Amino acid sequence: MNAAISWSCTRRLMLGTAGAVTAAHLSRALAADGGTPLKVAALFAGRIDDRGFMEAGWRGLQRAASELGVNVSHADGVAPQKDALAAALTRLAQSGADLVIAHGGQNNEVCAEVAARFPRQRFVVTQGSVTGDNLASYEVLQEESAYLAGVLAALTTRSGVVGHMSGIRVRPGLKGRAAYAAGVRDTDTRVRLLTNFSGNQDDNALSRRVAEAQIAAGADVIFTMLNAGRDGVTQACRDRGCRQIGNVIDWVERDPQVFIGSAVASVGQGVFEAVRALQAGLFPAGQVRRLGLAQGDAVKLTMAPDVPAQVRARVERTAQDIAQERLKVPEQYDGAEFPTPA
């Protein structure tokens, strides 16, 4: 874990990677009580270089440093276990931060408990669902792009079997799975879904085994809601001539041969918006703020160049239906699950 919480170190990183903070930025960032820039500390229960969920949150924090002129610090590499999360959040709160951000729904319970012990500080859970007198949640509705991923998978599978893979069972991941399953079902009831939660977001050997087992069972399109463990699936798909749908960032842009689509959900936007709200004196204590297809580019589905025009049109119509609330994305899945291979 990156346990060092050093604001001076963070300022050097900010200046080196994001450019010098201008006087205008600093004036906007001044804390109301002391005339100094706001301090924001964030917890990442994973690697900030995972090219997925954790990295997206970290980039949102760096954007806040660059554009809003706040001082930032973070702890990463923390195991998603209650005691470890509680200890890390407590250290961040004790560091003097004006705002402590816990990135990811796995922090819901523990952040509520830690926030209650530090009533004079503000806390946020991104992709969260908890609130309190000094606690808010921000949720980028990744289930909306996951539903579109289900539409794309059902329309592009040749075998009639599609897969879904994730790691730990947190609320956003479960909602994303439910949405993907509904998108598949609503598009073509004949398509069979294989869905798996392996218990680990970052283990490439494990994710490759699951992907190979799903491919052996007939899946030719697999939707992955993983972090650093996505590479194992990508290699399996490349070797077997199957396609993958990524999530969080635009994986199509990186590898259009393997990725037929990507359910983009800019989860770092929640981090940035939380900082901006506090800076503006509009911190939404006691609320859950949600960002979806109706709020711009925070959520969308990107598609590879070889996706047929009629498929693109169907996906775009569905996106409009969700944004305009003509279609409600389900949040529950009660079907069978694909076993994790030994």
Side-chain angles (χ1 to χ4, degrees), residues 305-327:
D306 60 338
V307 173
Q310 63 270 27
V311 174
R312 291 176 178 274
R314 173 71 178 272
V315 169
E316 289 166 4
R317 288 197 302 272
T318 304
Q320 291 174 6
D321 287 342
I322 295 172
Q324 296 175 16
E325 299 184 351
R326 293 191 294 265
L327 190 160

Side-chain angles (χ1 to χ4, degrees), residues 161-313:
V161 183
V162 300
H164 157 270
M165 291 175 54
S166 192
I168 58 177
R169 293 176 182 272
V170 295
R171 183 172 177 267
L174 292 167
K175 288 170 63 179
R177 189 264 300 273
Y180 176 71
V184 171
R185 180 197 65 226
D186 294 348
T187 304
D188 190 340
T189 57
R190 298 168 298 177
V191 175
R192 186 161 63 98
L193 171 65
L194 310 177
T195 171
N196 173 269
F197 280 84
S198 67
N200 194 307
Q201 297 286 130
D202 303 312
D203 187 332
N204 279 300
L206 173 61
S207 66
R208 180 164 183 166
R209 289 201 305 274
V210 177
E212 289 177 342
Q214 289 196 349
I215 292 169
D220 63 349
V221 180
I222 300 176
F223 175 44
T224 51
M225 299 186 74
L226 296 167
N227 295 340
R230 194 185 314 271
D231 288 347
V233 186
T234 301
Q235 191 59 54
C237 288
R238 195 184 308 279
D239 291 347
R240 303 297 181 88
C242 297
R243 302 300 290 272
Q244 187 178 171
I245 301 174
N247 81 320
V248 179
I249 67 172
D250 186 359
W251 288 93
V252 173
E253 185 178 44
R254 297 189 178 207
D255 190 351
Q257 290 188 329
V258 170
F259 288 89
I260 195 169
S262 196
V264 174
S266 301
V267 292
Q269 187 72 17
V271 175
F272 179 81
E273 293 296 340
V275 177
R276 182 158 65 177
L278 180 62
Q279 190 180 78
L282 300 172
F283 184 77
Q287 300 178 39
V288 178
R289 291 282 176 89
R290 295 181 172 89
L291 304 170
L293 286 167
Q295 283 73 45
D297 285 341
V299 176
K300 61 184 177 182
L301 183 77
T302 61
M303 290 172 277
D306 60 338
V307 173
Q310 63 270 27
V311 174
R312 291 176 178 274

Side-chain angles (χ1 to χ4, degrees), residues 35-108:
T36 58
L38 289 170
K39 292 182 177 182
V40 180
L43 168 65
F44 302 100
R47 291 166 39 188
I48 58 170
D49 62 349
D50 66 3
R51 296 184 296 166
F53 183 84
M54 296 301 164
E55 182 172 335
W58 180 80
R59 291 190 180 280
L61 182 68
Q62 298 308 301
R63 181 186 170 199
S66 173
E67 295 185 21
L68 304 178
V70 298
N71 287 342
V72 299
S73 183
H74 75 273
D76 70 295
V78 181
Q81 300 165 357
K82 185 175 181 180
D83 289 347
L85 295 173
L89 282 173
T90 299
R91 284 194 292 272
L92 292 175
Q94 291 172 337
S95 72
D98 300 292
L99 174 65
V100 177
I101 299 174
H103 186 56
Q106 61 268 52
N107 297 290
N108 273 328

